[in-house]
Amino acid sequence: MSVRTDLGIGVRLAVGGGRTAMTRLVLGAIGVGVAVAVLLLAASVGPLMQARSDRANLTTVSTEAIAGVEPLYERRVSAEHRGDGLDLRYVNAGGPSSPVPPGADRVPAPGEAVVSPALAERLADPDAADLRQRLPERIVGTLPASVLTDPHDLTAYLGVGPEVRASDRTSEVYSYGGFPVDESLDPTLLLLVLLGTVALLAPVFVFTAASTRIAGAERDRRLSALRLVGADSRQVRRIATAEALVSAIVGLVVGTGLFFAGRALAPEVTISGVTVNSADVTPIWWLAVAVVVLVPVLAVLTAQFALRRTIVEPLGVVRFAKPIRRRLLWRLGVAAAGVGLLFWHGGAEAGHDLWIYSITAGAALLLFSVPALLPWVVERSVSRVRGGPTSWQLAVRRLQLDAGTSARVVGGVAVVLAGAIALQSALYSQFTNLGGPQESQTAQNSGIELYPEAGLSAEAERLVAGVPGVRQVFTEGTATFVGSAEEDIASIPVYDCAAVQRLFAITDCAPGVVYAVGDTELQDYGLRAGEQWWVYEWDRKTKTTTRGASWTVPRVRSVPESAVSGDLGASARPASLFVTPGFVPDGTEGMVTPRIRVSVDAADQGVADRVYAALAPLSWQVVGVQWGSRSDDDRAAFTAISRGLLIGSVFTLLLAGLSLLVLALEHIRERRRPLAVLAASGVPTGALGRSLLWQIAIPIAVGVVIAIGAGIGLTALVLRLGSTPMVVDWSSVGLMVLAATVLAGLVWAATLPFLRGATRLTSLRTE
């Protein structure tokens, strides 16, 4: 027979070899498909980040004067609505040559707005009356997606009058774009990204290799039948290659379909407030070609490797009765190499290419050592076991004869567990280090800070005071002092007497008095009574600070802790040391930077939007920052990422469980006659069933132990590089262990009907 004929026979056997062959094809295609989809997604990360960076660069501004160009005055305000960020840019053209905002055909005139599609949709929402109150401008244009970093960005360019030019926070823009945004990641975050990439891709390669070996015994019997009709060993290997190629090619089609389906859904997925355009999810062409080529090659090599110790003869399949003892040295070498790379990390600084490659390779080797070590550990674990119940002895004896087959399939489960545990623990450690994911502190930390333009503090405080859900409003200024040495700097809050009376119940407030709450002392702020300091003054014309009037530090007046108003959250709690206006004789104009602190009802989800709507008359002249919203966003992002990891891990576990089920059914089919003999000899079917349970449970139990050790060890090594204390997320570890336990139980339960069929007396018949 020719090579083409041999390959054709392999294809027909793969697609028309009966129910078992079809099951093998489907499971193998799913395994390869998931691998291809994940690899194509990984190959798209670079173009995705570059596309986002390019769009972000379009809106960067240059304040360097250009001859012949009149500036565009831009006052940028970051706000929120329903917890989503608003990027509002109030603009006023200095003349006809002023630059035009990216995506707009002209500079919007006062009372006009050019908005993003998402913001236009939000403004058209009947329930968004509060947002329309804040942004009453007439929409004259829509920004194209090409100038928006995210498809759901709430961005607007709003035209205002020339009064915006007087603001200290207004920029004079001479051009847009051409100024690259620094996209470098913090080393700790980069470590998490690298660990996540390896943790997601390592199981893919393991499962790709394992999926091509599903139903291997059935395939070997078919190959022996071909030998019986005249095929030689080379033809048998070519036929096996064709079977593996069919599964790989179908998997490529499935994986490509999964990738494009996920690509279409990309704009609907939001993680930590970030979404992506579908067009950005485009793999690098040479990486996509590598995936298309290497996945079938890996499948073929795995299939050929599976036949290395199998002799396919015309009258059956012969395997070595006593396998050669597995060598431990090279398996430990894989783990040791991974640990060594993580300790060495290329000898380069964080973020360097060599640093990235060494960390990635080290994490990958450590994860790949899990399926490498598992067969050896299972073999050694059962080799010296003696005695026990009948079911236990039957299971142990079976594993003593062939522990590698089960361990290889369970290796996919173990590497999924190890990667998931490592990534979950790393995320949990980092999030805990940043203040989460403890129980939400929103109820204690709810508050809003407002930063008005000069002279508008009283008006802003008046507008906010009557808003439902607002508990307390007061203005807090900040005065900065410098000592005789320029490096001695102290910033002290400033409260007027009206605020002092409301917040501390002090009725005899006087100008220029320093108050200390509770045990607070001047020394806590680096001050001593009688010392001479100077006030930093802000020059609005030159926009610089200068050393101004002198100030002699007075003695403090104590305020008992019990006098502080109880109608305040932790974020709106007043300072423990403050001074009243009049601390210098000639007034404090330009010396105090005001902010308005608003304590709100934490249970009222819409209070922040009502506060911002109440401030609509001041438009760009006041900026708000909501306390607690960032931590809540981080907590939500952590929850979303953790949930996604758990779902992905459980899905991969289910695929591995299907492989394990097919393997268990193969074992029953192969040992149908011995099982029937045991049943006819008086061994209860229940004992045989329990032996199957032990055959499944023992490798999984060993794999779970190795996975926990490898996952936690990998987490410790990676976090060590970022100097982040390790905190193990034991709830996630327990959940993954529970999932593996349930998986073993489900596989065992699914094999019981087949076991009952195999132990019938009809299985003893022979011809």
Side-chain angles (χ1 to χ4, degrees), residues 363-387:
L365 287 173
L366 198 55
L367 284 179
F368 285 133
S369 70
V370 173
L373 283 169
L374 187 58
W376 185 90
V377 175
V378 172
E379 182 182 85
R380 291 300 183 272
S381 299
V382 300
S383 62
R384 299 183 181 278
V385 175
R386 298 290 185 273

Side-chain angles (χ1 to χ4, degrees), residues 165-170 172 454 537-546 589-590:
R165 305 178 187 181
S167 173
D168 299 336
R169 303 183 180 98
T170 296
E172 296 182 1
E537 295 186 35
W538 175 252
D539 190 328
R540 299 190 61 179
K541 292 183 179 179
T542 62
K543 296 185 178 181
T544 58
T545 55
T546 59
E589 179 68 25

Side-chain angles (χ1 to χ4, degrees), residues 393-418:
Q393 293 187 51
L394 289 172
V396 168
R397 183 55 180 158
R398 177 63 188 176
L399 291 174
Q400 288 173 344
L401 292 175
D402 182 18
T405 305
S406 299
R408 276 191 294 270
V409 177
V410 175
V413 177
V415 77
V416 170
L417 290 175

